[in-house]
Amino acid sequence: MSNIVVAGAQWGDEGKGKIVDLLTENVSVVARFQGGHNAGHTVVINKKKFILHLIPSGILHKGKICIIGNGVVIDPGALIQEIKGLKRKGIPVGKNLFISDSAHVIMPYHTAIDNQSERSAKKSKKIGTTGRGIGPAYMDKMSRAGIRIADLMDSRVFREKLKANLSFVNYLLVNKYKTRRISLEKIYAQYMKHAAFLETFVTDTSVLLNKYIEKGRNVLFEGAQGTLLDIDHGTYPFVTSSSASAGGVCTGLGVAPTRIDGVLGVVKAYTTRVGGGPFVTELKDKIGEYLRLKGGEYGATTGRPRRCGWLDAVGLRYAVRINGFTDIALTKLDVLDGMDKIKVCVAYKYDDPYRSCSCSKKGRSCRFTDIPHNNRILEACRPVYKELEGWSISTQGAKRFKDLPKQARAYIKYIEDLLGVKVSLISTGEKRDEVIVLKDPVTGRKK
Ligand code: GDP
Ligand code: IMO
Ligand code: MG
């Protein structure tokens, strides 16, 4: 038995979708535990590209059970579109998909508030959300005003809750954001149609999942976003609104911590970020542009260009601590092909003009080897780089470690030493088989 979490180690888009798809072969169940359709997980199989938003990436394998857990926020319209889109591409979606009756529902007013609050925020305060209503939906969950899938399935309860929520929401929309009010009847009719479509997928997924675990079947817990976007551990407030690190599995699926056997951290060979917020290793020069073009760094959900930079070992060590990674999947190594030099940030340097830093070097230039939680300090941090040799030979599509140029092997070894965690998988291209498997994190088999 082996139940493994797959979690992003950076600011999302590390290539989790590809890694989950790869590992699904040896598991029975793939379960999402947080986030919503803000996620965009890309899987490329035989030149066909699939972008999964809410449905676990395991859906592309025949005969695997996919679960959308209670920690996920579900926009029913978006989910139905995704189901229909997959079916159009020949992927069966039916008895292989289950939705938690305790997951919270994203309502049209969540999306409206998300977009209006972003629009009215000052430039420096804009989070750059995906505009999918994620934050406001989690706000309602936490304030205990949320509507759950079980409520959606009960027309009377749904109508009552919707009516109660709209009285406040419409006040906000009209008076603060000066936009149109939302009609109860319109949403009610629309969501009742959604409910009828989704009804057969709904169940208590904690019961279901734990039955599989009891039977000794392998499970993958598929994370969305990444550790630095986690609501508690990320670069707050420039984060998403869910628990994107491994800790989210237990609350987001109703699975006990004692059931988790390992945590695979997905690490992109460099760093990217979409939206606002601090990014110490960001490259606003030609190298950043090169990474964006070569790596195809444009959002899988919104199409926005991703900000690019060098690998940040300060952030990664932090992610190792928060998630307890047992293995690492290093992705997009091939994007670094042809670079003369490659840099890794090993510490942050900070000159404190206000003498407000709490470290012992008060007022002088100090170094951080952990992410400071004061955003003003983090924004002012500069990277301390270790420079490594690049390589000119292509690694694209490499399937054996020994086929990698020695500088690429040295880069991987350097990352392992910095983080104290072994790299088990090395992804060398977007396609399913473009990967070097040193150890299968699910079966533990070494190659
Ligand atoms: P996720 O959100 O973590 O699943 O990642 P995304 O799908 O948003 O972004 C990763 C992008 O990189 C996708 O376009 C993948 O097809 C692509 N990708 C994944 N692994 C590799 C790799 O090793 N090399 C290259 N060149 N592309 C990759
Ligand atoms: P995957 O699963 C990268 C970012 C947004 C924004 C912040 C908050 O594909 O890795 P939200 O809409 O969640 O309230 O936006 O989080 N963000 C992501 N960035 N990958 C993602 O998902 C993301 N999901 C949200 O860009 O900065
Ligand atoms: Mg993505």
Side-chain angles (χ1 to χ4, degrees):
M1 183 191 85
S2 188
N3 305 318
I4 305 294
V5 185
V6 179
Q10 292 147 319
W11 279 292
D13 303 326
E14 298 89 349
K16 300 175 291 293
K18 171 177 168 166
I19 299 298
V20 168
D21 170 67
L22 181 79
L23 300 180
T24 297
E25 198 180 331
N26 290 319
V27 304
S28 301
V29 183
V30 184
R32 272 277 303 269
F33 55 93
Q34 45 70 234
H37 66 312
N38 49 350
H41 296 178
T42 315
V43 181
V44 181
I45 307 165
N46 300 331
K47 292 191 182 160
K48 256 195 188 170
K49 187 184 257 192
F50 298 88
I51 299 178
L52 286 315
H53 299 287
L54 270 163
I55 299 177
S57 305
I59 198 80
L60 304 175
H61 286 255
K62 258 200 184 140
K64 308 291 176 176
I65 297 298
C66 288
I67 290 177
I68 300 178
N70 59 277
V72 176
V73 283
I74 300 175
D75 180 325
L79 178 56
I80 293 167
Q81 244 188 8
E82 195 171 335
I83 293 171
K84 288 183 174 170
L86 283 170
K87 283 183 169 176
R88 270 198 301 277
K89 285 186 163 180
I91 306 297
V93 186
K95 291 205 162 70
N96 51 350
L97 178 68
F98 294 92
I99 304 168
S100 168
D101 55 4
S102 308
H104 279 249
V105 180
I106 298 184
M107 302 297 296
Y109 46 83
H110 292 136
T111 316
I113 294 169
D114 188 2
N115 286 302
Q116 289 298 337
S117 67
E118 279 283 282
R119 208 164 293 155
S120 59
K122 275 198 204 136
K123 197 166 174 244
S124 64
K125 300 265 189 260
K126 280 191 204 295
I127 292 163
T129 72
T130 59
R132 302 296 194 262
I134 305 293
Y138 279 114
M139 272 165 74
D140 273 1
K141 173 177 176 172
M142 289 305 181
S143 71
R144 293 159 291 183
I147 297 177
R148 304 204 288 181
I149 291 287
D151 305 324
L152 178 66
M153 295 300 141
D154 183 327
S155 58
R156 267 213 356 233
V157 173
F158 178 73
R159 195 178 173 92
E160 253 170 47
K161 289 202 162 192
L162 178 60
K163 193 172 167 198
N165 285 356
L166 277 183
S167 68
F168 172 69
V169 164
N170 276 331
Y171 177 82
L172 192 71
L173 288 176
V174 174
N175 294 294
K176 179 165 169 61
Y177 296 124
K178 315 283 179 220
T179 57
R180 274 190 296 170
R181 47 190 300 115
I182 285 178
S183 140
L184 183 139
E185 294 307 333
K186 206 169 141 195
I187 296 190
Y188 179 74
Q190 186 189 13
Y191 272 61
M192 283 302 101
K193 270 196 195 160
H194 292 336
F197 185 99
L198 294 176
E199 200 178 2
T200 55
F201 298 100
V202 177
T203 191
D204 183 334
T205 51
S206 168
V207 170
L208 180 77
L209 187 54
N210 280 285
K211 272 189 189 154
Y212 277 99
I213 293 174
E214 281 301 325
K215 281 194 218 158
R217 310 288 278 273
N218 292 341
V219 178
L220 274 186
F221 305 112
E222 176 176 348
Q225 290 82 51
T227 306
L228 300 179
L229 286 173
D230 183 288
I231 185 73
D232 282 278
H233 302 293
T235 46
Y236 191 91
F238 298 96
V239 292
T240 190
S241 299
S242 66
S243 301
S245 35
V249 168
C250 300
T251 51
L253 281 164
V255 165
T258 45
R259 300 298 202 176
I260 299 173
D261 301 300
V263 184
L264 174 68
V266 186
V267 175
K268 197 182 283 193
Y270 49 96
T271 313
T272 62
R273 166 162 218 176
V274 204
F279 183 175
V280 176
T281 63
E282 182 169 16
L283 294 165
K284 292 182 175 165
D285 57 8
K286 279 191 175 150
I287 301 176
E289 185 59 26
Y290 176 86
L291 289 172
R292 186 174 309 114
L293 280 177
K294 182 125 192 262
E297 297 297 354
Y298 295 88
T301 295
T302 58
R304 288 178 292 174
R306 295 173 181 153
R307 298 157 67 193
C308 298
W310 294 118
L311 197 72
D312 181 354
V314 177
L316 288 175
R317 271 195 304 256
Y318 178 83
V320 169
R321 170 159 61 80
I322 299 296
N323 295 283
F325 293 146
T326 47
D327 298 85
I328 281 173
L330 187 69
T331 61
K332 306 192 87 160
L333 184 74
D334 54 297
V335 177
L336 297 179
D337 291 353
M339 291 259 177
D340 189 30
K341 300 274 179 212
I342 293 171
K343 291 184 185 176
V344 177
C345 171
V346 292
Y348 296 164
K349 156 173 86 174
Y350 172 65
D351 292 311
D352 187 356
Y354 307 103
R355 298 175 173 251
S356 59
C357 168
S358 56
C359 87
S360 57
K361 288 184 164 183
K362 258 197 176 322
R364 281 175 287 143
S365 177
C366 52
R367 271 184 174 225
F368 291 97
T369 48
D370 235 313
I371 296 185
H373 294 301
N374 177 332
N375 257 339
R376 189 183 49 71
I377 293 177
L378 182 56
E379 290 277 6
C381 279
R382 296 287 160 256
V384 178
Y385 283 123
K386 158 90 179 166
E387 201 172 81
L388 287 95
E389 289 298 314
W391 54 90
S392 53
I393 302 166
S394 168
T395 66
Q396 213 250 306
K399 295 182 179 63
R400 295 180 308 182
F401 190 70
K402 64 177 186 189
D403 291 342
L404 295 179
K406 70 171 192 296
Q407 298 90 337
R409 281 184 270 151
Y411 184 56
I412 295 163
K413 173 83 171 55
Y414 185 67
I415 294 169
E416 287 185 330
D417 290 347
L418 272 178
L419 306 186
V421 185
K422 284 275 176 209
V423 172
S424 296
L425 303 169
I426 303 156
S427 179
T428 55
E430 60 176 13
K431 297 197 197 87
R432 197 183 244 179
D433 63 344
E434 291 179 319
V435 66
I436 299 168
V437 182
L438 297 170
K439 187 190 124 197
D440 185 317
V442 177
T443 61
R445 271 197 295 271
K446 289 193 178 164
K447 300 238 166 137

